[in-house]
Every structure is written in C-alpha cells, then in structure tokens.
Short mmCIF file of all heavy atoms in Angstrom, two decimals:
data_model
loop_
_atom_site.label_atom_id
_atom_site.label_comp_id
_atom_site.label_asym_id
_atom_site.label_seq_id
_atom_site.Cartn_x
_atom_site.Cartn_y
_atom_site.Cartn_z
N ASN A 1 -70.58 38.74 -57.26
CA ASN A 1 -70.82 37.30 -57.47
C ASN A 1 -71.38 37.03 -58.87
O ASN A 1 -72.34 36.26 -59.04
CB ASN A 1 -71.78 36.76 -56.41
CG ASN A 1 -71.23 36.88 -55.01
OD1 ASN A 1 -70.02 36.81 -54.81
ND2 ASN A 1 -72.10 37.10 -54.04
N THR A 2 -70.80 37.67 -59.85
CA THR A 2 -71.30 37.59 -61.22
C THR A 2 -70.16 37.26 -62.17
O THR A 2 -69.05 37.78 -62.03
CB THR A 2 -71.97 38.91 -61.64
OG1 THR A 2 -73.06 39.19 -60.74
CG2 THR A 2 -72.50 38.83 -63.06
N VAL A 3 -70.45 36.39 -63.11
CA VAL A 3 -69.50 36.06 -64.16
C VAL A 3 -70.13 36.45 -65.50
O VAL A 3 -71.34 36.34 -65.69
CB VAL A 3 -69.13 34.56 -64.12
CG1 VAL A 3 -70.33 33.66 -64.31
CG2 VAL A 3 -68.05 34.23 -65.14
N TYR A 4 -69.29 36.94 -66.39
CA TYR A 4 -69.75 37.45 -67.68
C TYR A 4 -69.10 36.68 -68.83
O TYR A 4 -68.04 36.09 -68.68
CB TYR A 4 -69.38 38.93 -67.82
CG TYR A 4 -69.90 39.82 -66.71
CD1 TYR A 4 -69.09 40.15 -65.63
CD2 TYR A 4 -71.21 40.30 -66.74
CE1 TYR A 4 -69.56 40.97 -64.61
CE2 TYR A 4 -71.68 41.10 -65.72
CZ TYR A 4 -70.86 41.43 -64.66
OH TYR A 4 -71.34 42.22 -63.64
N LEU A 5 -69.76 36.72 -69.97
CA LEU A 5 -69.19 36.19 -71.19
C LEU A 5 -69.47 37.20 -72.31
O LEU A 5 -70.62 37.33 -72.75
CB LEU A 5 -69.76 34.82 -71.55
CG LEU A 5 -69.07 34.13 -72.73
CD1 LEU A 5 -67.63 33.76 -72.35
CD2 LEU A 5 -69.85 32.89 -73.16
N GLN A 6 -68.43 37.91 -72.72
CA GLN A 6 -68.54 38.82 -73.85
C GLN A 6 -68.29 38.03 -75.12
O GLN A 6 -67.23 37.42 -75.27
CB GLN A 6 -67.53 39.96 -73.72
CG GLN A 6 -67.53 40.92 -74.89
CD GLN A 6 -68.82 41.73 -74.98
OE1 GLN A 6 -69.34 42.21 -73.98
NE2 GLN A 6 -69.35 41.86 -76.20
N MET A 7 -69.26 38.04 -76.01
CA MET A 7 -69.17 37.25 -77.23
C MET A 7 -69.19 38.19 -78.43
O MET A 7 -70.18 38.89 -78.65
CB MET A 7 -70.33 36.26 -77.31
CG MET A 7 -70.45 35.37 -76.09
SD MET A 7 -71.70 34.07 -76.26
CE MET A 7 -73.17 35.07 -76.40
N ASN A 8 -68.10 38.19 -79.16
CA ASN A 8 -67.97 39.03 -80.35
C ASN A 8 -67.83 38.15 -81.60
O ASN A 8 -67.53 36.96 -81.49
CB ASN A 8 -66.76 39.95 -80.23
CG ASN A 8 -66.86 40.90 -79.05
OD1 ASN A 8 -67.95 41.34 -78.68
ND2 ASN A 8 -65.73 41.22 -78.46
N SER A 9 -68.03 38.76 -82.74
CA SER A 9 -67.89 38.03 -84.01
C SER A 9 -68.65 36.71 -83.98
O SER A 9 -68.12 35.66 -84.36
CB SER A 9 -66.40 37.78 -84.31
OG SER A 9 -65.68 39.01 -84.36
N LEU A 10 -69.87 36.77 -83.54
CA LEU A 10 -70.68 35.56 -83.39
C LEU A 10 -70.93 34.88 -84.72
O LEU A 10 -71.07 35.53 -85.76
CB LEU A 10 -71.99 35.90 -82.70
CG LEU A 10 -71.87 36.09 -81.18
CD1 LEU A 10 -73.07 36.85 -80.62
CD2 LEU A 10 -71.74 34.74 -80.49
N LYS A 11 -70.98 33.55 -84.65
CA LYS A 11 -71.20 32.71 -85.83
C LYS A 11 -72.46 31.87 -85.61
O LYS A 11 -72.83 31.59 -84.46
CB LYS A 11 -70.00 31.78 -86.04
CG LYS A 11 -68.67 32.49 -86.17
CD LYS A 11 -67.54 31.49 -86.28
CE LYS A 11 -66.19 32.16 -86.42
NZ LYS A 11 -65.08 31.18 -86.51
N PRO A 12 -73.09 31.43 -86.68
CA PRO A 12 -74.28 30.57 -86.52
C PRO A 12 -74.00 29.34 -85.66
O PRO A 12 -74.89 28.89 -84.92
CB PRO A 12 -74.62 30.20 -87.96
CG PRO A 12 -74.15 31.36 -88.77
CD PRO A 12 -72.88 31.80 -88.09
N GLU A 13 -72.81 28.81 -85.71
CA GLU A 13 -72.48 27.63 -84.91
C GLU A 13 -72.35 27.93 -83.43
O GLU A 13 -72.19 27.01 -82.61
CB GLU A 13 -71.20 26.96 -85.43
CG GLU A 13 -70.02 27.89 -85.59
CD GLU A 13 -69.85 28.39 -87.03
OE1 GLU A 13 -70.88 28.76 -87.66
OE2 GLU A 13 -68.70 28.41 -87.50
N ASP A 14 -72.42 29.19 -83.04
CA ASP A 14 -72.46 29.55 -81.63
C ASP A 14 -73.88 29.44 -81.05
O ASP A 14 -74.07 29.59 -79.84
CB ASP A 14 -71.95 30.97 -81.41
CG ASP A 14 -70.49 31.14 -81.76
OD1 ASP A 14 -69.69 30.24 -81.43
OD2 ASP A 14 -70.14 32.17 -82.38
N THR A 15 -74.84 29.19 -81.90
CA THR A 15 -76.22 29.06 -81.44
C THR A 15 -76.36 27.90 -80.45
O THR A 15 -75.96 26.78 -80.75
CB THR A 15 -77.16 28.84 -82.64
OG1 THR A 15 -77.16 30.01 -83.46
CG2 THR A 15 -78.58 28.55 -82.17
N ALA A 16 -76.88 28.21 -79.28
CA ALA A 16 -76.99 27.21 -78.21
C ALA A 16 -77.67 27.86 -77.01
O ALA A 16 -77.85 29.08 -76.97
CB ALA A 16 -75.62 26.69 -77.81
N VAL A 17 -78.00 27.04 -76.05
CA VAL A 17 -78.37 27.55 -74.73
C VAL A 17 -77.08 27.61 -73.91
O VAL A 17 -76.34 26.62 -73.84
CB VAL A 17 -79.40 26.66 -74.03
CG1 VAL A 17 -79.74 27.22 -72.65
CG2 VAL A 17 -80.67 26.55 -74.87
N TYR A 18 -76.83 28.76 -73.30
CA TYR A 18 -75.61 28.97 -72.54
C TYR A 18 -75.92 28.93 -71.05
O TYR A 18 -76.89 29.52 -70.58
CB TYR A 18 -74.99 30.32 -72.91
CG TYR A 18 -74.29 30.30 -74.24
CD1 TYR A 18 -75.01 30.20 -75.43
CD2 TYR A 18 -72.89 30.34 -74.33
CE1 TYR A 18 -74.37 30.16 -76.66
CE2 TYR A 18 -72.24 30.30 -75.54
CZ TYR A 18 -72.99 30.21 -76.71
OH TYR A 18 -72.34 30.16 -77.93
N TYR A 19 -75.08 28.21 -70.34
CA TYR A 19 -75.22 28.03 -68.90
C TYR A 19 -73.91 28.40 -68.20
O TYR A 19 -72.84 28.25 -68.76
CB TYR A 19 -75.51 26.57 -68.56
CG TYR A 19 -76.72 25.96 -69.22
CD1 TYR A 19 -76.64 25.39 -70.49
CD2 TYR A 19 -77.94 25.91 -68.55
CE1 TYR A 19 -77.74 24.81 -71.09
CE2 TYR A 19 -79.06 25.32 -69.15
CZ TYR A 19 -78.95 24.77 -70.41
OH TYR A 19 -80.04 24.19 -71.00
N CYS A 20 -74.05 28.82 -66.97
CA CYS A 20 -72.84 28.95 -66.14
C CYS A 20 -72.92 27.93 -65.01
O CYS A 20 -73.99 27.44 -64.65
CB CYS A 20 -72.68 30.36 -65.60
SG CYS A 20 -73.87 30.82 -64.33
N ASN A 21 -71.77 27.60 -64.48
CA ASN A 21 -71.67 26.70 -63.35
C ASN A 21 -70.24 26.78 -62.85
O ASN A 21 -69.38 27.41 -63.48
CB ASN A 21 -72.02 25.26 -63.75
CG ASN A 21 -72.60 24.46 -62.61
OD1 ASN A 21 -72.09 24.47 -61.49
ND2 ASN A 21 -73.70 23.77 -62.87
N ARG A 22 -69.97 26.17 -61.74
CA ARG A 22 -68.59 26.09 -61.36
C ARG A 22 -67.91 25.04 -62.23
O ARG A 22 -68.58 24.17 -62.80
CB ARG A 22 -68.43 25.81 -59.88
CG ARG A 22 -68.98 24.52 -59.38
CD ARG A 22 -68.85 24.50 -57.86
NE ARG A 22 -69.28 23.23 -57.31
CZ ARG A 22 -69.39 22.97 -56.03
NH1 ARG A 22 -69.12 23.92 -55.13
NH2 ARG A 22 -69.78 21.80 -55.61
N ARG A 23 -66.58 25.15 -62.33
CA ARG A 23 -65.86 24.26 -63.23
C ARG A 23 -66.05 22.81 -62.84
O ARG A 23 -66.26 21.94 -63.69
CB ARG A 23 -64.38 24.65 -63.23
CG ARG A 23 -63.51 23.82 -64.14
CD ARG A 23 -63.88 24.00 -65.59
NE ARG A 23 -63.05 23.18 -66.44
CZ ARG A 23 -63.34 21.92 -66.76
NH1 ARG A 23 -64.46 21.37 -66.30
NH2 ARG A 23 -62.53 21.24 -67.55
N SER A 24 -65.96 22.51 -61.57
CA SER A 24 -66.12 21.14 -61.10
C SER A 24 -66.08 21.15 -59.57
O SER A 24 -65.30 21.90 -58.99
CB SER A 24 -64.99 20.27 -61.63
OG SER A 24 -65.09 18.95 -61.14
N PRO A 25 -66.89 20.33 -58.95
CA PRO A 25 -68.03 19.63 -59.50
C PRO A 25 -69.21 20.57 -59.72
O PRO A 25 -69.29 21.62 -59.08
CB PRO A 25 -68.36 18.60 -58.42
CG PRO A 25 -67.94 19.27 -57.15
CD PRO A 25 -66.72 20.06 -57.50
N TRP A 26 -70.09 20.18 -60.63
CA TRP A 26 -71.23 21.04 -60.91
C TRP A 26 -72.21 21.09 -59.75
O TRP A 26 -72.34 20.15 -58.99
CB TRP A 26 -71.97 20.51 -62.15
CG TRP A 26 -71.15 20.52 -63.39
CD1 TRP A 26 -70.11 21.36 -63.68
CD2 TRP A 26 -71.31 19.66 -64.51
NE1 TRP A 26 -69.61 21.06 -64.92
CE2 TRP A 26 -70.33 20.03 -65.46
CE3 TRP A 26 -72.18 18.62 -64.82
CZ2 TRP A 26 -70.19 19.39 -66.69
CZ3 TRP A 26 -72.05 17.99 -66.04
CH2 TRP A 26 -71.08 18.37 -66.96
N VAL A 27 -72.91 22.22 -59.69
CA VAL A 27 -74.07 22.32 -58.81
C VAL A 27 -75.30 22.33 -59.71
O VAL A 27 -75.18 22.19 -60.93
CB VAL A 27 -74.00 23.60 -57.94
CG1 VAL A 27 -72.79 23.54 -57.01
CG2 VAL A 27 -73.94 24.85 -58.81
N ALA A 28 -76.48 22.50 -59.12
CA ALA A 28 -77.71 22.46 -59.90
C ALA A 28 -77.67 23.52 -61.00
O ALA A 28 -77.34 24.69 -60.75
CB ALA A 28 -78.91 22.68 -58.98
N TRP A 29 -78.02 23.12 -62.20
CA TRP A 29 -77.98 24.03 -63.34
C TRP A 29 -79.11 25.06 -63.27
O TRP A 29 -80.22 24.75 -62.82
CB TRP A 29 -78.09 23.25 -64.64
CG TRP A 29 -76.91 22.36 -64.88
CD1 TRP A 29 -76.78 21.06 -64.51
CD2 TRP A 29 -75.68 22.72 -65.50
NE1 TRP A 29 -75.55 20.58 -64.86
CE2 TRP A 29 -74.84 21.57 -65.49
CE3 TRP A 29 -75.18 23.89 -66.10
CZ2 TRP A 29 -73.55 21.56 -66.02
CZ3 TRP A 29 -73.90 23.87 -66.64
CH2 TRP A 29 -73.10 22.72 -66.60
N GLY A 30 -78.83 26.25 -63.77
CA GLY A 30 -79.86 27.26 -63.93
C GLY A 30 -80.66 27.01 -65.19
O GLY A 30 -80.52 25.97 -65.83
N GLN A 31 -81.47 27.98 -65.56
CA GLN A 31 -82.34 27.80 -66.72
C GLN A 31 -81.61 28.05 -68.03
O GLN A 31 -82.07 27.66 -69.09
CB GLN A 31 -83.56 28.74 -66.62
CG GLN A 31 -83.33 30.16 -67.10
CD GLN A 31 -82.47 30.98 -66.16
OE1 GLN A 31 -82.18 30.58 -65.03
NE2 GLN A 31 -82.08 32.17 -66.60
N GLY A 32 -80.46 28.67 -67.96
CA GLY A 32 -79.71 28.98 -69.16
C GLY A 32 -80.28 30.19 -69.89
O GLY A 32 -81.34 30.72 -69.54
N THR A 33 -79.56 30.64 -70.90
CA THR A 33 -80.03 31.74 -71.73
C THR A 33 -79.76 31.40 -73.19
O THR A 33 -78.68 30.94 -73.55
CB THR A 33 -79.35 33.07 -71.32
OG1 THR A 33 -79.93 34.16 -72.05
CG2 THR A 33 -77.84 33.06 -71.53
N GLN A 34 -80.79 31.57 -74.02
CA GLN A 34 -80.71 31.16 -75.42
C GLN A 34 -79.96 32.20 -76.24
O GLN A 34 -80.28 33.39 -76.19
CB GLN A 34 -82.11 30.98 -75.99
CG GLN A 34 -82.15 30.66 -77.48
CD GLN A 34 -81.65 29.27 -77.81
OE1 GLN A 34 -82.07 28.29 -77.19
NE2 GLN A 34 -80.76 29.15 -78.79
N VAL A 35 -79.00 31.74 -77.00
CA VAL A 35 -78.28 32.58 -77.97
C VAL A 35 -78.55 32.00 -79.35
O VAL A 35 -78.28 30.82 -79.60
CB VAL A 35 -76.78 32.61 -77.68
CG1 VAL A 35 -76.03 33.31 -78.81
CG2 VAL A 35 -76.50 33.29 -76.35
N THR A 36 -79.08 32.83 -80.23
CA THR A 36 -79.36 32.42 -81.60
C THR A 36 -78.66 33.38 -82.55
O THR A 36 -78.88 34.59 -82.47
CB THR A 36 -80.86 32.41 -81.89
OG1 THR A 36 -81.52 31.54 -80.94
CG2 THR A 36 -81.14 31.90 -83.30
#
C-alpha cells in the first residue's frame, strides 16, 4: 500500500512540499514531505 516518487536531475524549481493522495476525489491530506 505504498506509492513512490523517484526524482532524478532535481532542479531548484522542484523545491516544494510533496504530498500524495488519490487522483480524485481527494481524501484528507497528510503532512507532506519537504523537498529543497
């Protein structure tokens, strides 16, 4: 029950808080994880 996101060749514009959710409709959001 896990989804992954492999991020390569990262750019400064990728800086954000990343969240997962179902595509639609959303359920309650998690806390996210910061990528800088």
Side-chain angles (χ1 to χ4, degrees):
N1 298 329
T2 301
V3 60
Y4 304 97
L5 187 67
Q6 177 67 43
M7 305 187 297
N8 299 327
S9 302
L10 282 161
K11 303 176 180 180
E13 51 263 44
D14 295 319
T15 295
V17 179
Y18 284 70
Y19 303 86
C20 71
N21 209 314
R22 62 186 184 186
R23 180 65 180 88
S24 177
W26 297 332
V27 296
W29 294 92
Q31 83 287 350
T33 186
Q34 175 71 49
V35 172
T36 303

